[in-house]
Amino acid sequence: MYVRIAHWSCDPDHWNADADLFENGAVPILRKYHGFVRAMLLGEDSGARRIALTVWESADAYRAFVASPDLERITAMFAHMYVDGKRPGPVHEYVVRAQGAN
């Protein structure tokens, strides 16, 4: 498995809208990709910091998504929410080395 984590600051006025756009805009696009496993949007309780986490079956599945125009499409759909117009960064990419579930 492979994980991408992106950080950004979201205008607090969009506290509820960011989750709706993530679930109804970004996730349907991600679901089109073979190897997509899951996505989560994390946020500070009533704060501006956000983390988007996506999980992929493999690095190749992730790289196919990154090479597509859809990564930019998803980034752009949130542009009006970015504090000071700052796009997500830093972006971290990780190989899943171990995992557990309930």
Side-chain angles (χ1 to χ4, degrees):
M1 291 186 133
Y2 206 76
V3 174
R4 177 184 193 267
I5 301 172
H7 304 256
W8 75 94
S9 293
C10 183
D11 183 326
D13 291 340
H14 297 289
W15 176 254
N16 292 317
D18 65 330
D20 184 60
L21 185 56
F22 189 82
E23 290 176 352
N24 298 304
V27 172
I29 293 170
L30 293 165
R31 283 188 180 131
K32 296 187 312 184
Y33 286 86
H34 175 74
F36 170 71
V37 176
R38 80 174 342 180
M40 290 182 276
L41 177 63
L42 311 175
E44 295 177 316
D45 191 16
S46 300
R49 292 178 31 176
R50 298 289 186 277
I51 297 172
L53 184 143
T54 57
V55 180
W56 302 85
E57 289 179 358
S58 67
D60 288 341
Y62 166 71
R63 288 186 187 110
F65 165 69
V66 170
S68 79
D70 283 329
L71 175 57
E72 177 58 33
R73 184 175 159 208
I74 291 171
T75 302
M77 75 173 54
F78 287 90
H80 66 286
M81 297 182 184
Y82 299 145
V83 172
D84 298 327
K86 292 183 181 174
R87 297 164 58 100
V91 172
H92 302 283
E93 301 165 347
Y94 298 98
V95 173
V96 176
R97 297 182 37 82
Q99 60 183 322
N102 190 7

